[in-house]
Amino acid sequence: DEHGLKIQQAAAAAGTSPAELCQRVSGLFRRALTQAAVSFTDFIRTSEPRHRRAVCHFWGALQDGGALYKGCYEGWYCTPEECFLPESQLGERRDAQGRPCKVSLETGHQVHWTKEENYMFRLSAFRDPLRDWLRDNPHAIAPDPFYQRVLGWLEEDLPDLSVSRERSRLQWGIPVPSDPTQTIYVWVDALVNYLSVVGYPETHGEWWPAAHHVVGKDILKFHAVYWPALLMAAGLAPPERIFVHSHWTVRGQKMSKSLGNVIDPAACIGQYTLDGFRYFLLRQGVPERDCDYYDEKVVKLVNSELADALGGLLNRSTALSINPSNTYPCFSESCFPKVLDYREAKGLGRASAEDYELVASVASLPVQVASYFEGFQIYKALECIALCVRQTNGFFQRHKPWKLDRKDPAEQLWLDTIIHVALECLRVYGTLLQPVIPHTADRLLSRLAVEPEERALSNLTFLPRYDGKPCPFEGRELGPDTGVLFHRLEKPRQHQHQVESKKL
């Protein structure tokens, strides 16, 4: 999203051209994504020719559908947010020179009175179609509090939207086709990006409207009100789902350059490792509400759940003192017989009621995790996995396999069964954690000798021997020992990786 007045002004202030500024910033984003192990099939910029072509075609569709007209528009304009704001969203304060000025209540940015002739979009005509769309698709916007917020907006005044700016004021943008005196409003331009990237106007039908957008709560109105209305006006369906996330605060305060409390993700990756930092953000990030960040919280969570619980479980169940053959040992049905109701399993084998509870929990985990991932509730998926990891450690602790006598055949059967169950649990956790902690999950699965083609969610079957089916891993030699799965983090020195405001 590279066009707009604020980019034009930032480039001028930096003594460079908007194109050069965008080239540099775009490189920073690409580098950050690579560093964070976030992959993508396409990386599109609004300054690309394919996007300009899509925007011009989309504008033509709006015009042909009678959704645009020319009108005089005046109001309070917020350049950082690139939008006009109603009086109800404004407050008063003093500027740097001590003069009274109006500011956006939500962001604190100063606004300026602007009057000009623009193209207008008939947004007011789409109140009922937008309501119908949301009522027919109650999961179109998630989590639910944001869905309710959008319904609330549709009960308020919905004025027509100014969708162009005078070219004399804004050159950094796409000119309105057939009217070179106007530049297409940056948000119309930016939102069409979702179509450009899937081949609009020719081949988008392969993907659209089965698109899921992931957006910050501060740009919800643009995505959930303006964008669906623009799509309807251009003869297209709204996206299938819009997932909305909240923000990270730092020790209860909003991140801000002036406070100097902006967190540098690159420094965090260096401090906590890539997997450690990803795990923390996804485990603690609750989409429907702001979450608070502080260093001690990262260290505590990652040490307890990755280093101690998961790493400790792998370490103890693959230790040569317990598993000298270094194999995936066999499961014994006589020690752990299948039962319909584990509360009535007394005296049948050596497994306790809690062991049957563990097996039931882990067996249901893949479907549960997949459902939470689908619903954008990654923190809930990780909570379930962490709970099962704790249960598995409890299982190991309960039966103390290191105390069993290997010379006694019955004891050896039970020892092998304990290790088999623990390794099966670890295989499930490693498979499910791949999207979250890719490197750690890879090391875990490699240690268990799980081949790359055996790591898919679709064919993840837990403990098949319990159901009388063959287990492809049974008897297999374990992979090489790669050492500690996840090294414990040290407590950070105070504020050591907060970005100083002057660097931004």
Side-chain angles (χ1 to χ4, degrees):
D1 173 8
E2 295 190 331
H3 290 138
L5 191 58
K6 67 177 173 186
I7 306 289
Q8 185 176 295
Q9 290 176 349
T16 185
S17 70
E20 285 167 339
L21 175 71
C22 289
Q23 183 68 23
R24 185 176 67 79
V25 174
S26 168
L28 292 173
F29 271 100
R30 276 178 173 268
R31 196 154 70 239
L33 291 170
T34 303
Q35 205 175 6
V38 175
S39 59
F40 48 84
T41 39
D42 204 330
F43 185 104
I44 190 165
R45 300 167 56 190
T46 56
S47 51
E48 292 179 32
R50 58 174 170 159
H51 174 68
R52 177 181 286 240
R53 201 174 135 262
V55 170
C56 291
H57 190 278
F58 189 82
W59 184 274
L62 293 176
Q63 213 151 27
D64 294 347
L68 302 179
Y69 64 94
K70 213 162 186 186
C72 192
Y73 196 87
E74 57 182 315
W76 294 102
Y77 193 73
C78 179
T79 302
E81 295 170 55
E82 295 284 14
C83 65
F84 285 97
L85 293 172
E87 287 281 353
S88 60
Q89 289 176 24
L90 300 177
E92 295 227 356
R93 72 155 193 231
R94 296 199 173 270
D95 64 15
Q97 283 74 42
R99 294 171 303 211
C101 67
K102 285 193 180 287
V103 296
S104 161
L105 281 176
E106 189 166 337
T107 64
H109 293 132
Q110 194 170 345
V111 297
H112 301 278
W113 187 259
T114 305
K115 182 179 180 179
E116 59 185 40
E117 192 178 37
N118 298 145
Y119 284 91
M120 305 293 292
F121 170 63
R122 298 184 196 281
L123 182 62
S124 53
F126 287 89
R127 185 198 299 276
D128 288 339
L130 286 169
R131 275 189 191 141
D132 293 344
W133 163 60
L134 288 176
R135 298 239 160 91
D136 293 345
N137 299 279
H139 301 296
I141 299 165
D144 188 64
F146 297 113
Y147 173 81
Q148 299 300 336
R149 188 179 300 177
V150 177
L151 280 178
W153 284 335
L154 295 176
E155 297 303 315
E156 297 169 9
D157 193 25
L158 204 63
D160 287 351
L161 184 65
S162 165
V163 287
S164 71
R165 301 288 180 263
E166 284 181 0
R167 189 115 189 118
S168 58
R169 193 162 69 89
L170 175 61
Q171 298 85 45
W172 180 240
I174 299 172
V176 168
S178 74
D179 188 349
T181 68
Q182 297 276 313
T183 299
I184 294 174
Y185 174 42
V186 60
W187 268 104
V188 175
D189 166 356
L191 288 162
V192 174
N193 220 339
Y194 292 120
L195 289 174
S196 324
V197 81
V198 291
Y200 180 81
E202 290 89 17
T203 56
H204 60 286
E206 291 175 35
W207 280 93
W208 200 268
H212 291 195
H213 299 342
V214 181
V215 306
K217 66 175 185 178
D218 51 327
I219 49 174
L220 178 58
K221 186 173 273 185
F222 298 98
H223 282 83
V225 178
Y226 302 163
W227 178 224
L230 287 161
L231 285 163
M232 290 172 185
L236 292 164
E240 195 171 286
R241 292 193 85 178
I242 300 168
F243 288 120
V244 189
H245 64 79
S246 299
H247 296 161
W248 282 96
T249 57
V250 177
R251 297 187 180 273
Q253 288 182 300
K254 193 172 178 179
M255 283 195 216
S256 111
K257 286 187 261 188
S258 56
L259 287 174
N261 67 343
V262 177
I263 298 296
D264 177 3
C268 290
I269 289 168
Q271 173 79 12
Y272 306 126
T273 75
L274 171 60
D275 280 5
F277 195 50
R278 281 172 63 113
Y279 185 81
F280 170 78
L281 293 176
L282 292 165
R283 173 81 165 90
Q284 293 284 303
V286 179
E288 52 263 50
R289 63 174 184 271
D290 287 351
C291 300
D292 201 36
Y293 175 92
Y294 50 93
D295 299 316
E296 297 83 352
K297 194 195 273 190
V298 187
V299 173
K300 194 175 173 184
L301 177 89
V302 172
N303 279 349
S304 101
E305 294 192 359
L306 290 187
D308 299 347
L310 188 67
L313 180 61
L314 177 67
N315 195 33
R316 62 206 312 204
S317 42
T318 55
L320 281 175
S321 57
I322 281 181
N323 186 2
S325 63
N326 195 41
T327 56
Y328 217 97
C330 296
F331 177 88
S332 163
E333 282 105 329
S334 61
C335 292
F336 210 130
K338 179 162 183 157
V339 292
L340 294 174
D341 186 346
Y342 58 75
R343 285 161 300 195
E344 294 165 13
K346 294 178 182 68
L348 285 174
R350 297 190 63 160
S352 66
E354 293 104 315
D355 302 338
Y356 284 102
E357 275 176 40
L358 168 69
V359 168
S361 297
V362 182
S364 65
L365 196 59
V367 171
Q368 205 173 22
V369 166
S371 164
Y372 282 139
F373 276 179
E374 279 292 313
F376 199 54
Q377 293 179 303
I378 298 167
Y379 72 103
K380 283 191 178 176
L382 297 184
E383 201 174 354
C384 291
I385 295 171
L387 194 64
C388 284
V389 172
R390 280 204 297 278
Q391 271 183 283
T392 317
N393 273 306
F395 163 75
F396 217 84
Q397 198 60 38
R398 197 159 49 246
H399 296 299
K400 300 181 172 54
W402 56 90
K403 287 191 170 178
L404 295 173
D405 182 5
R406 222 181 258 103
K407 297 188 191 74
D408 180 335
E411 296 279 274
Q412 180 68 56
L413 274 183
W414 179 225
L415 173 64
D416 286 350
T417 302
I418 293 168
I419 297 169
H420 182 96
V421 171
L423 296 184
E424 276 291 279
C425 290
L426 278 163
R427 183 173 65 84
V428 169
Y429 308 148
T431 305
L432 296 176
L433 285 167
Q434 288 175 110
V436 179
I437 44 172
H439 302 101
T440 306
D442 174 56
R443 289 181 66 198
L444 169 54
L445 294 171
S446 297
R447 180 72 176 104
L448 301 183
V450 181
E451 298 296 333
E453 65 275 8
E454 297 172 317
R455 300 180 180 188
L457 181 63
S458 52
N459 55 14
L460 182 58
T461 311
F462 169 65
L463 205 59
R465 293 279 274 110
Y466 178 71
D467 291 305
K469 294 170 187 161
C471 172
F473 304 98
E474 203 168 53
R476 191 183 288 190
E477 188 172 350
L478 294 179
D481 186 357
T482 48
V484 176
L485 180 68
F486 196 95
H487 287 276
R488 282 180 65 82
L489 300 174
E490 289 178 28
K491 285 196 174 129
R493 295 183 297 282
Q494 200 64 21
H495 305 307
Q496 73 175 32
H497 59 242
Q498 288 183 357
V499 181
E500 299 144 38
S501 53
K502 65 174 185 284
K503 282 187 186 168
L504 287 172

